[in-house]
Amino acid sequence: MSQRKVLQGNIIIAKAALAAGCDFFAGYPITPSSEIAQYMSKEMPKMERTFIQMEDEIASLGACIGASLAGKKTLTATSGPGFSLMQEHIGLAVMAEVPVVIVNVMRGGPSTGMPTKPAQADMMQARWGTHGDHPIIALYPAFSEEIFSETVRAFNLAEKYWNPVILLLDEVLGKAHMDVEIPEPGSYDVYWEKTHEISDLNIYDRKLGENPPRIDFFHGYPIHIDSLEHDAHGWPSFDAKTVDKMQKLRMQKIYQNLDDIIKYKEYFLDDAEVLVFSFGISARSALAAVKTAREQGIKAGLFQALTVWPFPRAAMQERFKKTKKVLTVEMNMGQMKYEVERIAPDDVEKQTLLRANGMPFSPDEVLEAIKEFAK
């Protein structure tokens, strides 16, 4: 049966990862994500699963990629500076189509910044940190039950689409102790991709939009994995038609399955005159502010993105047919606001509430911004 507990956000992630079948963790401790590695170091050996503390974040993600190719469900956890170091290997995982979950508990930056202060300043790095055109999936829960469910979903999406999935959190959500209901095993979906025996070695060949199969690696087949652009057999190729095909295969496995990947929550939006767009810890303050605004007769509503990449474009544009004011609330100097501005029609008035000083927004601050914008 389910269990109701008071747990730190980082521990909820660790518990959810184990529930999702994570059987390999490699990481390097860094504030404010260290409790994830600490918990895994204690619990995984008891479960005959593998925990390794690596020498740095680059090696950590490299180990996860190798273990994933060997059939393991893999996780690493880090924060800003470590996430920066991982970008090269994120590109490798995208190119080689390797499932792996990367937790980034965001802190103030740039550089080593403010290790014990929250931020939401890695939003664009999660999307475009590694070079080249590439698909990415990034999730960002806000509430305790979402931290559990979105962690499980991160593993499911990585396994299903053979792509790295980034799970974002911020220092507040990672460190805070929250009341949470840990669901009973079997009450949530855990995706396991069966391995496929192969009759030939064209492991990357498939139709546009199809998911790649999980190959039975290390069982006698000479399978080639490379960071270079490659053909269907994994061998390096710079042939223009081959490159074009492989790039489209990697992109469309994500973009033809947006209904499965994109998840969001809407609060009080049916008659809203002000749409508040937010995510993570800022969404918690925004929801409290929207409820108070309603009590004061202001028709405000909240659009909370759980999937931040790919951006929930279609759902937002549907709301913009009725709601002509959008307030973006985020703890940075303006990152996701550009996505909102890019998709919002010209007749939608845009406003922002931004801050990057390590202090999360209070509900009263969001409420004042709503009231000023609603005039």
Side-chain angles (χ1 to χ4, degrees):
M1 59 185 298
S2 64
Q3 295 180 314
R4 193 142 209 104
K5 296 183 175 181
V6 175
L7 295 173
Q8 190 188 58
N10 283 336
I11 303 303
I12 298 173
I13 285 180
K15 284 182 171 290
L18 294 174
C22 174
D23 50 4
F24 184 93
F25 180 99
Y28 185 79
I30 181 172
T31 302
S33 73
S34 297
E35 290 84 0
I36 299 173
Q38 184 182 34
Y39 185 88
M40 295 301 238
S41 72
K42 293 179 179 177
E43 298 301 319
M44 294 188 83
K46 300 176 188 174
M47 305 168 75
E48 298 185 347
R49 304 183 189 185
T50 303
F51 171 91
I52 304 177
Q53 178 173 322
M54 302 299 290
E55 64 268 34
D56 60 31
E57 291 85 350
I58 301 172
S60 299
L61 187 50
C64 286
I65 291 171
S68 181
L69 289 170
K72 301 294 185 182
K73 280 192 172 184
T74 65
L75 172 71
T76 188
T78 188
S79 187
F83 193 53
S84 294
L85 292 172
M86 290 180 177
Q87 295 304 317
E88 181 69 22
H89 272 156
I90 291 175
L92 169 60
V94 171
M95 177 64 89
E97 301 192 78
V98 181
V100 58
V101 176
I102 303 157
V103 176
N104 176 15
V105 185
M106 291 181 283
R107 68 190 209 185
S111 190
T112 47
M114 297 184 287
T116 60
K117 295 291 185 181
Q120 297 179 309
D122 302 346
M123 305 304 296
M124 284 296 171
Q125 188 185 29
R127 177 64 190 91
W128 295 112
T130 196
H131 60 278
D133 289 314
H134 62 277
I136 203 73
I137 299 172
L139 313 179
Y140 194 168
F143 298 92
S144 57
E145 273 79 11
E146 293 171 358
I147 295 174
F148 187 95
S149 62
E150 290 303 287
T151 302
V152 173
R153 199 165 74 94
F155 278 92
N156 290 346
L157 293 174
E159 185 77 6
K160 190 170 185 179
Y161 296 105
W162 269 53
N163 208 72
V165 174
I166 297 165
L167 182 67
L168 295 169
L169 224 65
D170 47 72
E171 188 270 350
V172 175
L173 293 180
K175 290 288 190 180
H177 285 72
M178 295 170 269
D179 178 45
V180 60
E181 183 170 352
I182 303 297
E184 183 180 7
S187 64
Y188 47 86
D189 293 331
V190 173
Y191 186 87
W192 293 93
E193 177 66 34
K194 294 181 180 178
T195 56
H196 296 253
E197 292 187 7
I198 55 175
S199 56
D200 54 40
L201 300 179
N202 57 339
I203 59 173
Y204 290 111
D205 192 24
R206 60 187 188 268
K207 294 179 181 178
L208 202 65
E210 287 184 347
N211 304 329
R214 179 178 268 283
I215 304 301
D216 195 5
F217 281 90
F218 304 110
H219 285 76
Y221 304 108
I223 293 171
H224 192 82
I225 299 293
D226 205 304
S227 63
L228 289 169
E229 187 57 272
H230 48 260
D231 60 16
H233 293 75
W235 292 105
S237 174
F238 300 151
D239 172 72
K241 288 185 178 179
T242 300
V243 171
D244 186 55
K245 177 183 178 181
M246 299 309 295
Q247 288 181 336
K248 288 180 179 176
L249 286 176
R250 289 193 296 270
M251 298 294 275
Q252 291 307 314
K253 69 180 179 183
I254 303 298
Y255 290 104
Q256 290 194 17
N257 292 287
L258 293 179
D259 289 343
D260 184 44
I261 296 169
I262 290 179
K263 189 175 177 182
Y264 54 87
K265 289 185 177 178
E266 297 175 311
Y267 301 89
F268 311 108
L269 282 177
D270 286 345
D271 64 343
E273 295 174 355
V274 176
L275 184 156
V276 180
F277 172 77
S278 196
F279 41 84
I281 187 61
S282 296
R284 293 175 68 143
S285 297
L287 179 57
V290 162
K291 289 179 177 177
T292 304
R294 285 277 169 175
E295 292 171 358
Q296 297 179 9
I298 301 170
K299 293 182 178 179
L302 171 66
F303 188 104
Q304 179 204 344
L306 285 163
T307 305
V308 291
W309 302 114
F311 192 74
R313 174 179 183 149
M316 290 279 285
Q317 288 181 323
E318 185 64 29
R319 286 299 175 186
F320 289 147
K321 292 179 180 177
K322 292 183 177 179
T323 307
K324 299 302 178 183
K325 289 188 175 183
V326 56
L327 172 67
T328 302
V329 181
E330 53 183 332
M331 283 188 66
N332 53 54
M333 298 303 289
Q335 295 192 16
M336 299 304 281
K337 81 175 189 103
Y338 292 116
E339 284 301 302
V340 175
E341 291 173 357
R342 188 170 67 86
I343 66 166
D346 292 340
D347 65 344
V348 173
E349 192 176 351
K350 297 97 176 172
Q351 185 57 272
T352 57
L353 181 62
L354 311 174
R355 186 159 71 203
N357 64 0
M359 294 296 293
F361 294 109
S362 69
D364 284 345
E365 289 176 304
V366 181
L367 177 62
E368 286 304 310
I370 292 172
K371 292 167 71 172
E372 184 67 25
F373 194 33
K375 291 179 180 177

